[in-house]
Amino acid sequence: MWEVINMSIDLVKENIECEQLMSENFSDTVIKAEYIIPDTNPDVNRILILNAKPVITSKEVMQDKVFVEGRIEYTILYLAKEDEGTMGIYSVSYTGDFSNYIEIPGSQHDMLCDADCYVEHMNCNIANERKVSIEGIIKLKAEVYKKYEFEVIKDIEDSGDIQMLKNPDTVDKIIGTVSGDLVAKTEIQIPMDKPQIGNILECNVNVHKKDIKVLEGKVSLEAYVLIGILYRGKDTKDVEYIEDDVYINKEIPIDGVNPSMDSYTDFCVDEVEKGVREDDLGESRIIDVEVLVKSNTKVMYKEDMDIIEDAYSPSSLLQMDKKDYELNVMHGQNTVQSMIKSDIEVEGNSRPKEVIMCYGEVCITDKKIVEDKVVIDGVLNTKVLYKNLEDEINKASDEIPFSCSVDIPESKIDMQCIAKVSLESIQGDVEIDTIAIKAVVETYARVNYVTNKEFLVNIDSAEGEFPAKKASLTIYVIQQDDTLWKIAKKYYTTVEDLVKLNDIEDPEVIKVGEKLIIPGRAVI
């Protein structure tokens, strides 16, 4: 598209802010700790399950590295001897801290960062009957983004006969990142066919069924929080597990967003508060649970722009400044759900009769881009509490590998990708002498690539003598790679004049070897 405008250069500029994934890396954090069993609990006889939940509390980008701090909530289920030599189940909870550096060469203080953590493996052993030791590895991951900002010329107003060559293009922009607090609050009623609550042994929380919509001026978040409570019955050794799926939603204002934009949201369980109270009959059958879920939503979009690629004036000299920028392009994103099935063999001769509780955690072990998709490998770490044929409580666990692919058409192996994985649901059932696991895993992948674009960043009048007119007209023979724009600029005329003088039907179509009449100007 060619435009003619008045003279006196009045530039209309647009500010462009972008984020570009610079690098990502991992770091292993070794955990070693010992904890004393509280006086209110009996001696440890056998460890059943260790549930370790790491959460990042702070992150700081530094020169060539990222410093990450976090805390771990430990819940240990164990068996202890009771009256007449029988075994009962108990739990203890502890909180630990961790910190480590993740090497990211080239990172600087002013850069943005996303960080994540998960348990690679974690073991709990009995140091003595009143002390347990925990050893394991927490995998830390950091993604560092370069944020850059520059101005480009979007238009020229009231500037005489300046000619502009514009072409449509798109620029990826980040509208912003917005955080929110969502609260899941519920009363879990224990039915009369189950024992009253003696004490709560464990509380598992999982955010799933997520639905995020970008609306006009806001982001709508919807999800369900699956709360699972394992408790020991009052005045009995019976153990029960009960669940409640709680709906949460929130609308968070964010200026400038609309439904045509893309987004991604991370959810993190931050705090869980629970308490037991009596019902109208005076029985301990109500569990009050309040879960604080933190959300972090990033909204991005592709802005259509008419990029000014070139400009000149037929009557004066101009000085143009062009700069080359390295831009991030969001090629595509997608989310898929995959089914994982596996059988867990139980230890020894403890044939399972009934699954009490089944939960899992997922993590990514590898990812790669192949043609048109992202292939993601991961591990589902599954833990099961069950009763055997003798009504004894036992545990089973397994690390179940899985692989899934996320279709993103036209993805290439030299592009970059970001992947996230979360557990939607998990179920364990007794089948013959094994425990059959069925789980649904949700995987998100986003593919980016880097491209270089040249932008016109400034136009100013140039000093020098403007070429004088030499002849009334010139005959020009069209060469290979010529365009009307190039010819008009070379001879200080306009595309419009060339089209009129030569009766050209389509300015975009000219043929090599054809002759053009050029209005009288100096030949440069």
Side-chain angles (χ1 to χ4, degrees):
M1 178 171 64
W2 294 276
E3 295 187 7
V4 183
I5 330 184
N6 286 322
M7 192 69 191
S8 101
I9 304 174
D10 186 8
L11 303 178
V12 178
K13 294 191 175 184
E14 175 158 337
N15 191 58
I16 294 180
E17 295 182 19
C18 301
E19 287 181 13
Q20 178 186 323
L21 176 63
M22 188 192 76
S23 184
E24 65 175 348
N25 203 3
F26 296 85
S27 177
D28 288 342
T29 301
V30 177
I31 300 296
K32 286 188 177 182
E34 288 188 339
Y35 295 99
I36 303 296
I37 302 298
D39 294 339
T40 52
N41 279 41
D43 293 349
V44 178
N45 185 272
R46 182 159 72 93
I47 302 292
L48 285 174
I49 289 177
L50 165 64
N51 189 2
K53 301 173 183 175
V55 176
I56 291 174
T57 55
S58 70
K59 55 187 185 291
E60 181 184 358
V61 182
M62 310 174 80
Q63 188 70 42
D64 297 324
K65 57 191 172 185
V66 176
F67 181 61
V68 175
E69 293 182 298
R71 70 172 189 272
I72 319 176
E73 303 287 344
Y74 301 105
T75 301
I76 301 170
L77 300 179
Y78 71 92
L79 292 176
K81 288 183 180 179
E82 296 186 339
D83 298 337
E84 301 174 357
T86 58
M87 305 288 277
I89 187 170
Y90 292 84
S91 75
V92 285
S93 297
Y94 306 100
T95 300
D97 298 317
F98 65 88
S99 62
N100 205 353
Y101 292 95
I102 305 169
E103 300 296 329
I104 307 277
S107 67
Q108 298 176 5
H109 295 277
D110 59 347
M111 291 183 177
L112 304 172
C113 172
D114 285 339
D116 202 359
C117 64
Y118 59 87
V119 174
E120 187 168 88
H121 66 81
M122 197 74 68
N123 296 319
C124 182
N125 297 301
I126 301 173
N128 59 52
E129 66 273 7
R130 301 303 301 171
K131 184 189 293 185
V132 293
S133 64
I134 295 174
E135 292 185 359
I137 292 177
I138 292 177
K139 183 78 78 174
L140 300 179
K141 174 189 173 186
E143 301 160 356
V144 173
Y145 296 82
K146 288 191 290 187
K147 185 173 182 179
Y148 47 91
E149 184 177 341
F150 57 93
E151 282 188 333
V152 301
I153 298 176
K154 186 177 182 180
D155 210 342
I156 304 173
E157 292 182 348
D158 303 326
S159 15
D161 60 356
I162 292 180
Q163 308 291 302
M164 290 188 292
L165 175 61
K166 289 185 175 183
N167 275 316
D169 206 342
T170 58
V171 175
D172 282 81
K173 289 190 172 182
I174 303 293
I175 273 284
T177 301
V178 63
S179 300
D181 291 344
L182 295 86
V183 177
K185 198 170 183 178
T186 185
E187 293 181 358
I188 300 178
Q189 181 77 43
I190 306 300
M192 297 303 292
D193 61 343
K194 294 184 180 295
Q196 294 184 56
I197 304 161
N199 59 294
I200 294 175
L201 299 172
E202 186 167 14
C203 178
N204 293 316
V205 178
N206 186 41
V207 182
H208 66 142
K209 300 178 188 174
K210 301 176 282 285
D211 185 17
I212 293 89
K213 294 185 179 74
V214 181
L215 305 176
E216 203 69 44
K218 59 188 175 183
V219 176
S220 170
L221 308 177
E222 296 182 35
Y224 282 83
V225 179
L226 183 61
I227 301 169
I229 299 288
L230 179 73
Y231 76 93
R232 180 168 170 171
K234 187 176 181 180
D235 302 324
T236 177
K237 291 183 174 62
D238 291 345
V239 174
E240 300 288 346
Y241 191 71
I242 191 164
E243 291 181 331
D244 192 14
D245 215 6
V246 183
Y247 173 74
I248 56 173
N249 71 307
K250 189 166 190 174
E251 290 185 345
I252 304 175
I254 176 168
D255 291 338
V257 304
N258 63 65
S260 67
M261 297 179 178
D262 294 314
S263 70
Y264 177 74
T265 300
D266 267 324
F267 290 95
C268 175
V269 176
D270 190 65
E271 293 180 11
V272 180
E273 294 184 1
K274 54 192 180 296
V276 178
R277 61 185 172 89
E278 296 180 346
D279 60 13
D280 294 340
L281 300 176
E283 295 187 342
S284 299
R285 291 191 175 275
I286 300 175
I287 306 173
D288 292 316
V289 184
E290 187 170 304
V291 179
L292 174 61
V293 177
K294 289 190 174 291
S295 67
N296 191 272
T297 302
K298 182 179 290 187
V299 181
M300 51 273 195
Y301 74 107
K302 292 183 179 293
E303 180 176 352
D304 295 323
M305 296 177 62
D306 281 335
I307 302 294
I308 301 177
E309 293 190 357
D310 201 4
Y312 72 94
S313 168
S315 60
S316 61
L317 297 178
L318 298 179
Q319 172 67 44
M320 288 179 294
D321 294 332
K322 294 183 178 181
K323 286 189 179 179
D324 190 80
Y325 288 96
E326 194 177 69
L327 299 181
N328 179 73
V329 178
M330 203 272 280
H331 175 70
Q333 62 178 354
N334 196 8
T335 302
V336 300
Q337 291 190 349
S338 308
M339 175 71 77
I340 300 173
K341 295 182 179 180
S342 184
D343 292 334
I344 300 179
E345 300 289 338
V346 298
E347 300 174 357
N349 298 317
S350 181
R351 295 174 61 187
K353 180 180 76 172
E354 173 193 354
V355 171
I356 301 172
M357 176 182 71
C358 174
Y359 66 93
E361 298 160 342
V362 286
C363 64
I364 294 173
T365 56
D366 192 23
K367 66 181 189 301
K368 60 184 176 183
I369 302 176
V370 298
E371 294 295 321
D372 298 323
K373 60 182 147 185
V374 178
V375 177
I376 295 164
D377 296 326
V379 170
L380 168 63
N381 192 336
T382 308
K383 298 174 183 177
V384 179
L385 202 65
Y386 70 92
K387 285 184 181 179
N388 62 15
L389 296 179
E390 288 75 39
D391 281 336
E392 297 171 335
I393 295 176
N394 264 297
K395 60 103 176 187
S397 60
D398 196 9
E399 293 183 353
I400 304 169
F402 67 89
S403 183
C404 65
S405 62
V406 181
D407 290 335
I408 300 181
E410 299 182 23
S411 297
K412 307 295 181 185
I413 58 175
D414 57 348
M415 294 179 179
Q416 300 171 322
C417 72
I418 295 168
K420 308 276 187 179
V421 66
S422 60
L423 185 64
E424 276 293 295
S425 64
I426 188 168
Q427 179 181 343
D429 296 300
V430 175
E431 291 187 3
I432 310 177
D433 291 337
T434 64
I435 296 173
I437 300 297
K438 293 180 183 178
V440 176
V441 171
E442 184 173 274
T443 307
Y444 165 83
R446 181 168 75 243
V447 172
N448 304 315
Y449 66 90
V450 175
T451 187
N452 287 79
K453 289 187 181 181
E454 189 177 61
F455 291 95
L456 190 60
V457 296
N458 195 34
I459 300 176
D460 206 348
S461 299
E463 294 182 0
E465 187 176 340
F466 192 80
K469 187 182 286 188
K470 262 187 164 181
S472 58
L473 58 83
T474 300
I475 303 299
Y476 178 79
V477 180
I478 298 172
Q479 307 295 310
Q480 189 72 32
D481 297 327
D482 270 345
T483 64
L484 284 187
W485 172 268
K486 290 180 180 178
I487 297 168
K489 182 179 179 182
K490 179 178 181 180
Y491 288 98
Y492 285 86
T493 184
T494 68
V495 171
E496 186 180 48
D497 287 347
L498 290 179
V499 169
K500 286 180 180 178
L501 194 58
N502 293 276
D503 294 325
I504 297 173
E505 291 185 3
D506 186 351
E508 302 295 334
V509 180
I510 57 174
K511 295 180 180 178
V512 174
E514 286 187 345
K515 295 179 180 179
L516 287 180
I517 300 173
I518 309 294
R521 282 283 181 200
V523 179
I524 306 301

